[in-house]
Amino acid sequence: MGLLKLIRGNSCPELAEAVALALDGTELSKATVTKFLNGETSVSVNTSVREADVFIIQSGSGEVNANDAVMELLILINACRTASARRVIGVVPYFPYAKQNKIKNRGAIPAKLMASMIKVAGATQLITLDLSPAQMTGFFDIPIDNMNVWPLITQYIMNHVADYKRAVVVAKNAGASKRATTVAKELKLDVAMVLGDLAEDDDDVVGAPPPSPSRVSLHSTGDDEDVAQASEEGATDLRETPYRSGGVIGHVRGRTCIIIDDVIDSASKFISAANALAAMGSSRIVVIATHGILSGSAPEDLDASAIDEIVVTNSISQDRALTRCTKLKVMRCESVLAEAVRRVHNDECMSSEWSTKLEMA
């Protein structure tokens, strides 16, 4: 077994230090990652990595933009491979370009391209956190360990959501239903789903039009059936309406609603879902997501919304967002990543359970 070496890029320095500390105080190996005046990335590994297991910690967003994070990761991987490392493992909590995992029109699949580039750079394995959709693991020709964060989420709900046993876990759209169901099943809670969001995922694209207002609401009559109720604008055919949030399936009145998802970026869909839940009489709305990108004015938008609390992990640095959103809280995930690093280094099974202690920033 080779030595364990930890190296970080510039995207998540605090997370890298926290992972190192969680690994019994393992020191981060020295590496210099800078840029030339023309914008090119320059990397120098300032320690021997010969025959070592090198873990490169670099998230796909954070202190540097996504493209710089990608180039830093690729060059660091290649530098360690060239320096005769035994294994080079990328620890990439938020995988860059994960949102672009499907081909549209005459476009490409950048997420698959990223997987290929990481392999070509010389990575022998990858560790990610809550990669979504999970089917993206099929893009990789190297072993990948996609760590689940739902144990942290369930701990947070039990420890920090008042009267959580009466709460309801909410999927903001059909795509998030599996994630919400997993958490709800673990906590033995009810599940609800916000209908709508039929348009393409373009609300995070620069210059995209704002979400159209909701025109349909659903309410429960107390029976098992959900009945469509026309809004003030008049009756509308649900099948023909390009609405963003068209109502709620499930009983949410007077209850805390916990919206579960993997990523918060522009936040417009979360705000639309929260508006629908508030209109149906929810007493409190909590959003919990693994990765908080929070682009543009998202922190201010969330702060002014009907959402009462937003919780994300520290997979992406939240230092600036915390100063812009008073409702934001950070759930620490370095224990999950550190245990994954330790098990990979020791060639241990990743599927067996381990105890993860929840910590808040």
Side-chain angles (χ1 to χ4, degrees), residues 289-320:
T290 306
H291 309 292
I293 302 176
L294 302 178
S295 301
S297 63
E300 290 82 7
D301 294 342
L302 288 167
D303 218 25
S305 72
I307 300 170
D308 297 287
E309 185 177 329
I310 304 101
V311 183
V312 297
T313 73
N314 59 334
S315 64
I316 296 171
S317 175
Q318 301 298 330
D319 289 347
R320 284 174 286 186

Side-chain angles (χ1 to χ4, degrees), residues 80-266:
C80 292
R81 199 64 176 166
T82 303
S84 301
R86 186 173 79 101
R87 293 188 292 185
V88 182
I89 300 97
V91 182
V92 188
Y94 173 66
F95 190 76
Y97 288 86
K99 294 174 65 174
Q100 300 187 62
N101 55 69
K102 300 175 184 177
I103 193 166
K104 295 181 180 180
N105 299 326
R106 295 181 179 86
I109 310 178
K112 188 176 189 303
L113 176 62
M114 281 302 311
S116 299
M117 291 167 64
I118 287 172
K119 179 188 176 183
V120 170
T124 56
Q125 194 166 344
L126 195 71
I127 297 172
T128 61
L129 189 68
D130 206 6
L131 185 66
S132 181
Q135 292 88 338
M136 275 179 55
T137 55
F139 290 168
F140 294 85
D141 295 323
I142 58 175
I144 175 171
D145 291 300
N146 181 29
M147 309 309 297
N148 289 320
V149 78
W150 63 260
L152 287 179
I153 293 175
T154 55
Q155 282 189 53
Y156 179 87
I157 292 172
M158 288 188 292
N159 295 340
H160 297 278
V161 176
D163 197 18
Y164 81 90
K165 292 184 179 180
R166 290 193 66 254
V168 56
V169 179
V170 179
K172 78 179 195 308
N173 54 29
S177 59
K178 182 177 180 180
R179 186 181 308 272
T181 302
T182 298
V183 174
K185 184 177 180 181
E186 182 69 18
L187 294 172
K188 297 180 173 58
L189 300 180
D190 293 338
V191 180
M193 184 174 72
V194 178
L195 295 180
D197 202 15
L198 298 181
E200 293 290 337
D201 294 338
D202 57 0
D203 55 340
D204 295 331
V205 178
V206 175
S212 56
S214 171
R215 296 182 61 193
V216 178
S217 63
L218 293 179
H219 69 87
S220 175
T221 60
D223 337 44
D224 293 333
E225 289 186 359
D226 294 297
V227 182
Q229 170 103 11
S231 69
E232 293 180 358
E233 297 179 21
T236 308
D237 188 343
L238 185 65
R239 295 168 296 180
E240 298 178 358
T241 306
Y243 57 87
R244 291 285 180 157
S245 56
V248 179
I249 294 179
H251 301 274
V252 301
R253 184 175 300 279
R255 304 171 74 179
T256 296
C257 290
I258 307 169
I259 303 175
I260 304 288
D261 213 339
D262 58 333
V263 178
I264 303 181
D265 193 351
S266 71

